[in-house]
Amino acid sequence: MPPPEPARRDSAEDAQWSRPECQAWTATLLLGTCLLYCTRVSMPVCAVSMSQDFGWNKKEAGIALSSFFWGYCLTQVAGGHLGDRVGGEKIILLSATAWGFITAATPLLTHLGGAHLVFMTFSRILTGLLQGLYFPALTSLLSQKVRESERAFTYSAVGCGSQFGTLMTGAVGSLLLDWYGWQSVFYVSGGLTLLWVCYVYRYLLSEQDLILAVGVLVQGLPVARDTRVPWRQLFRKPSVWAAIFSQFSAACSFFILLSWLPTFFKETFPSSKVMGLGLSSVFALCLGHTSSFCKSVFFASASIGLQTFNHSGVSVNIQDLAPSCAGVLFGVANTAGALAGVVGVGLSGYLIESTGSWTSMFNLVAAISSLGLCTFLLFGKAQRVDLSPSREDL
């Protein structure tokens, strides 16, 4: 027999972080998100140099760039489910350990044989598989540990790491490219991730909790938390579909720019450094119609700031709609975005190669972003939908 509602509410409140714990975890997860994007952007930043070394054309570079999303789209739902089941912080730590090691080892993999594109594609698929666990597990973690009134701020603060990470790799990565070659970008980003893992393991997680999480993953040990997801009930709500489609649009647009902007800056302004990446329909259109390096950097950098609004809007909205299964629902939404990234990044490479112009890619990004915005404004709501019909209005 399930415990009474007040008892369950008290139990959930006891499991939430205290204010000092929340501050410590917010700062740590901000850095973790930053490093996640440092490793993710390593390939786009190095794409031009690697293409020159290995003789890749735009279509082949598009395959290497989009291969990350082939893996990324496969583990979103699993990441949310595992985060809801064993705790998002454990899933984040275990996955970060693996993707940090693979990133640091990537330059070695490309020299195992002559099929550089095959090995690079394999490495990026593995990285995508592991990083696909991160944001659904993060969503699950914050929905369980952070007070409802503080979720928007906390998620936005942690989500800023994606912008800091892309800017850091764009700026510092271009210097590493000039000084030490493209291999150094992978070594540094992967090595820093492993240092972050060591810090989290030593100071924020107990060894017993981590052993329990590994046992659940490896042996399928039972846990007390009920993991049933009311899929039929969720997918009957237009607000759920609006959140999914908005996440789809935001992720697709961001992934396209994330993958191709370093190449755009390198080819369009070969004597300058790559300093900005980002998202927004207006600034994407502006990027397609300027020949000034300073304006291009401004438009791209301004887009990065606007992307943070998605974290406090659509991403938090999923937690509001279904806090009991926020991780797995976010996984569904981000799977849609990752699938769009596979198609969008590859299609962008084809458009650039076929038209000989970057404008077509920026127009595509602007159209996708605008469509997602309109859908969310029309159908998006914050009313909880994971409760039984008799309790929805309580």
Side-chain angles (χ1 to χ4, degrees):
M1 180 177 178
E5 183 64 26
R8 291 193 304 190
R9 189 182 297 116
D10 292 341
S11 176
E13 290 177 356
D14 291 341
Q16 291 178 338
W17 289 324
S18 65
R19 188 169 296 276
E21 286 176 326
C22 187
Q23 292 172 347
W25 272 105
T26 300
T28 301
L29 291 170
L30 167 61
L31 180 58
T33 305
C34 178
L35 291 171
L36 176 137
Y37 269 83
C38 285
T39 58
R40 185 179 299 188
V41 180
S42 295
M43 175 61 196
V45 166
C46 298
V48 174
S49 297
M50 296 179 73
S51 296
Q52 293 172 351
D53 285 354
F54 301 139
W56 297 342
N57 59 31
K58 286 289 190 304
K59 294 178 181 178
E60 290 171 328
I63 292 173
L65 289 168
S66 64
S67 60
F68 171 89
F69 304 104
W70 301 351
Y72 192 69
C73 65
L74 296 177
T75 52
Q76 296 290 323
V77 176
H81 175 72
L82 292 172
D84 291 338
R85 188 181 181 196
V86 302
E89 69 275 24
K90 293 111 174 168
I91 302 304
I92 287 172
L93 182 67
L94 293 172
S95 63
T97 303
W99 90 60
F101 176 78
I102 290 174
T103 301
T106 292
L108 302 178
L109 291 175
T110 60
H111 291 90
L112 290 177
H116 304 296
L117 183 60
V118 173
F119 285 112
M120 194 64 209
T121 299
F122 175 71
S123 170
R124 295 300 289 176
I125 290 175
L126 282 179
T127 304
L129 282 168
L130 294 162
Q131 291 199 354
L133 300 169
Y134 184 87
F135 279 107
L138 174 66
T139 301
S140 175
L141 175 64
L142 297 185
S143 69
Q144 296 173 30
K145 297 293 188 178
V146 179
R147 295 179 179 89
E148 185 176 353
S149 60
E150 299 176 357
R151 282 179 195 158
F153 172 79
T154 304
Y155 204 104
S156 299
V158 173
C160 285
S162 59
Q163 283 71 47
F164 287 132
T166 52
L167 283 170
M168 183 183 301
T169 308
V172 178
S174 63
L175 297 177
L176 290 174
L177 278 171
D178 287 344
W179 295 344
Y180 306 110
W182 61 265
Q183 295 89 343
S184 64
V185 180
F186 289 93
Y187 292 143
V188 170
S189 59
L192 289 175
T193 299
L194 293 176
L195 289 176
W196 178 82
V197 165
C198 292
Y199 170 81
V200 176
Y201 175 75
R202 182 170 182 178
Y203 294 105
L204 295 179
L205 278 183
S206 69
E207 185 175 351
Q208 183 178 1
D209 286 342
L210 197 59
I211 291 174
L212 175 62
V214 173
V216 172
L217 295 176
V218 175
Q219 301 177 14
L221 298 178
V223 291
R225 183 178 172 86
D226 185 6
T227 58
R228 290 175 297 177
V229 179
W231 293 114
R232 183 178 300 179
Q233 182 177 330
L234 293 176
F235 289 146
R236 286 176 177 173
K237 304 294 183 179
S239 57
V240 172
W241 286 107
I244 291 174
F245 186 77
S246 299
Q247 182 68 22
F248 164 93
S249 301
C252 180
S253 302
F254 186 55
F255 290 157
I256 291 174
L257 292 180
L258 188 74
S259 299
W260 285 109
L261 271 181
T263 303
F264 164 75
F265 276 102
K266 187 72 175 180
E267 293 190 351
T268 309
F269 309 102
S271 61
S272 303
K273 305 298 180 187
V274 177
M275 297 296 292
L277 299 171
L279 171 69
S280 100
S281 58
V282 174
F283 289 104
L285 285 172
C286 293
L287 275 168
H289 298 280
T290 181
S291 58
S292 166
F293 172 72
C294 292
K295 289 181 180 179
S296 296
V297 170
F298 171 76
F299 293 147
S301 300
S303 298
I304 293 176
L306 292 176
Q307 172 66 9
T308 2
F309 286 99
N310 182 62
H311 297 308
S312 58
V314 176
S315 300
V316 175
N317 180 242
I318 291 176
Q319 300 178 40
D320 294 333
L321 290 172
S324 68
C325 52
V328 70
L329 183 58
F330 183 88
V332 172
N334 224 29
T335 297
L339 288 170
V342 173
V343 177
V345 173
L347 177 60
S348 297
Y350 176 80
L351 289 174
I352 297 166
E353 185 77 19
S354 301
T355 64
S357 170
W358 289 91
T359 303
S360 57
M361 185 197 79
F362 294 125
N363 289 341
L364 175 65
V365 170
I368 294 171
S369 299
S370 299
L371 188 58
L373 172 63
C374 293
T375 302
F376 189 72
L377 291 177
L378 287 173
F379 301 105
K381 293 182 180 179
Q383 183 180 8
R384 187 169 179 177
V385 297
D386 62 337
L387 299 174
S388 61
S390 61
R391 295 172 53 209
E392 276 190 24
D393 297 326
L394 294 180

